[in-house]
Amino acid sequence: MEVRIGRDTFLEGVQKVQGIVETKGAMPILSHLPIRAEKEGITIEATDLEIGTRDSYLANVIAEGSVTLHARKLFDIIKELPDLEIHMVKEDNDWVTLKCGNSKFRLPGLPAADFPTFPEYSQESLMEFSCGQLKEMIRKTFFSVSPDESRQALNGLLLENENGKANLVATDGHRLAFITRPLSKSSLPEGEKLSILLPKKAIAELMKLMEDDDSTFSFSTQGNHLAFIQGSQVIVSRKIDGKFPNYRQVIPPDNNLKIKIDREILSHALRRVSLLADEKSKMVRFDIQKGNLTLISDNSDFGAAREEFPIAYEGENVSIGLNAKYVLDILNVTEDQEVILNLKDQNHSCMITVENDSDYLGIVMPMRI
């Protein structure tokens, strides 16, 4: 195996997969990257046995072959090399020589044949997204995924394909985020519905790999695996087993008290008042009256905070306790100047929406005042 490849191209390929490499597992080879040289380029893979990725990069292949090299060491070396061509040669016993400018490294490798086989996946697209659209959908829901590894069904995002639209939903049991967007392409027959639970690690890695907002990612499933494909790049992951809760039951149908608030004013005030909120609950009380909103926090250890500002509201008075961090997470992914707090009373959830996008909402459960 002998390859000449641009330093920046090689660095891009090795850097992209660092988050997937298994560094402390029982199989030492999973901390390595299989590099295969064939025809007009190299292919780089990585897996932790739950999620895998593969992509191809242009290179001058002088002799075909394959080897696996330690992912972190290879990345550390390449990022310090000058922006020149890298000459890589595989020697006996899977040792590899890297030359670039005046630098030369000899690295021990492992046989590529010992690396786990890349999972089979379907090339048949069930739905297609533009990268820009998919990034927006993930960004506006991912924060609501449960961090509790024991609650497997809540440890990912629900992806639905329904009537030419994609729904993405996340909840941790205390809050929920929902977004729906039209698909670039859907191969499901009309009237059929597809529901898949996407692991959060696969989604986190997918976000790192999406660069060009105008390019397209296709989504497919086969057996136990799902795949996101963009050209030569693919991410394959195991599906999550478990049943996602009926999220539609959580969306309140009759929160008739609607409070319009400038998003920036609310965000800054909520950050200030939450500085003295209870460390665990993060609760801030929202006291809403005609023309006025008061935010109140009270912590027996650190003191209390209160901030009042005018709002355009003429409805009945209502008070509700909300986790300030959960509210801020929604405000932080919203671009509109104004948000709407949709309330019923202190015992029902708060639904946060915007006027210009009826296809996105965030829900925060109430806390005892």
Side-chain angles (χ1 to χ4, degrees):
M1 172 183 168
E2 183 175 357
V3 173
R4 291 182 181 273
I5 185 170
R7 178 262 187 188
D8 286 354
T9 301
F10 203 6
L11 180 61
E12 176 191 353
V14 174
Q15 185 175 21
K16 273 184 176 181
V17 299
Q18 292 296 312
I20 294 175
V21 173
E22 182 62 65
T23 55
K24 297 178 181 177
M27 295 175 63
I29 200 166
L30 294 183
S31 65
H32 289 55
L33 302 177
I35 301 171
R36 309 180 199 279
E38 48 193 14
K39 296 181 181 177
E40 298 179 350
I42 63 168
T43 299
I44 299 175
E45 290 181 16
T47 186
D48 64 0
L49 299 183
E50 291 293 326
I51 174 175
T53 184
R54 181 167 66 195
D55 203 352
S56 299
Y57 301 89
L58 286 174
N60 177 14
V61 177
I62 300 161
E64 296 187 359
S66 58
V67 71
T68 73
L69 293 173
H70 192 275
R72 188 70 213 183
K73 283 297 179 192
L74 183 60
F75 171 65
D76 288 342
I77 290 168
I78 297 173
K79 74 177 180 180
E80 297 301 336
L81 291 175
D83 187 11
L84 299 170
E85 186 178 67
I86 294 175
H87 185 200
M88 179 168 60
V89 180
K90 178 184 170 185
E91 302 169 356
D92 294 337
N93 298 319
D94 292 296
W95 280 81
V96 170
T97 299
L98 284 180
K99 295 180 183 178
C100 182
N102 297 322
S103 301
K104 180 179 178 179
F105 297 85
R106 285 192 78 238
L107 304 172
L110 295 172
D114 293 347
F115 200 83
T117 306
F118 199 77
E120 290 188 7
Y121 63 94
S122 172
Q123 296 272 5
E124 184 181 343
S125 174
L126 291 173
M127 51 183 119
E128 291 184 0
F129 306 82
S130 73
C131 277
Q133 182 185 72
L134 186 54
K135 277 197 284 191
E136 182 208 14
M137 294 180 73
I138 295 170
R139 183 174 58 86
K140 290 186 172 180
T141 53
F142 193 81
F143 57 83
S144 286
V145 173
S146 174
D148 185 351
E149 298 289 341
S150 66
R151 305 183 71 186
Q152 199 171 22
L154 303 185
N155 213 232
L157 292 96
L158 176 69
L159 173 64
E160 296 179 320
N161 182 350
E162 190 176 26
N163 300 322
K165 289 187 173 184
N167 304 329
L168 203 58
V169 194
T171 183
D172 61 7
H174 303 287
R175 55 174 167 175
L176 180 145
F178 167 90
I179 190 168
T180 182
R181 292 289 186 261
L183 286 163
S184 303
K185 180 181 175 183
S186 172
S187 62
L188 273 190
E190 191 173 341
E192 274 195 33
K193 182 178 177 181
L194 175 73
S195 297
I196 302 284
L197 279 171
L198 309 178
K200 68 178 179 182
K201 183 173 181 180
I203 295 302
E205 292 304 320
L206 182 64
M207 284 290 279
K208 295 178 191 175
L209 299 180
M210 286 189 287
E211 294 169 352
D212 181 6
D213 284 358
D214 295 326
S215 59
T216 300
F217 258 97
S218 62
F219 174 80
S220 69
T221 65
Q222 178 176 313
N224 232 1
H225 290 89
L226 54 90
F228 284 96
I229 306 165
Q230 181 188 40
S232 63
Q233 177 177 287
V234 59
I235 290 182
V236 180
S237 173
R238 292 191 187 195
K239 297 175 184 175
I240 294 179
D241 291 327
K243 186 173 177 59
F244 198 80
N246 183 352
Y247 69 89
R248 295 187 186 275
Q249 287 184 340
V250 180
I251 300 174
D254 56 353
N255 279 18
N256 298 320
L257 303 179
K258 299 186 183 297
I259 300 98
K260 282 188 185 181
I261 308 177
D262 183 283
R263 179 176 59 86
E264 285 290 326
I265 291 174
L266 178 59
S267 294
H268 289 304
L270 193 51
R271 283 193 188 97
R272 287 189 291 267
V273 173
S274 66
L275 291 173
L276 293 184
D278 179 80
E279 290 289 321
K280 187 175 181 181
S281 72
K282 306 290 185 188
M283 190 190 85
V284 169
R285 194 172 88 213
F286 287 62
D287 282 352
I288 299 158
Q289 301 172 325
K290 289 183 181 180
N292 192 65
L293 168 62
T294 305
L295 301 177
I296 301 167
S297 63
D298 194 347
N299 186 320
S300 56
D301 293 326
F302 297 108
R306 177 187 182 97
E307 186 153 344
E308 188 176 313
F309 53 92
I311 56 173
Y313 176 67
E314 295 298 323
E316 60 189 77
N317 296 351
V318 62
S319 292
I320 188 170
L322 298 172
N323 182 307
K325 181 186 180 302
Y326 292 172
V327 175
L328 284 168
D329 283 343
I330 297 169
L331 299 180
N332 289 340
V333 299
T334 305
E335 297 90 4
D336 290 54
Q337 183 177 341
E338 283 191 327
V339 294
I340 304 170
L341 305 184
N342 301 265
L343 299 172
K344 185 175 182 179
D345 55 39
Q346 68 178 28
N347 300 316
H348 289 78
S349 59
C350 169
M351 183 168 69
I352 301 174
T353 58
V354 294
E355 269 192 334
N356 298 325
D357 186 2
S358 59
D359 292 330
Y360 177 67
L361 60 87
I363 294 171
V364 179
M365 299 299 288
M367 306 179 79
R368 185 173 296 175
I369 298 176

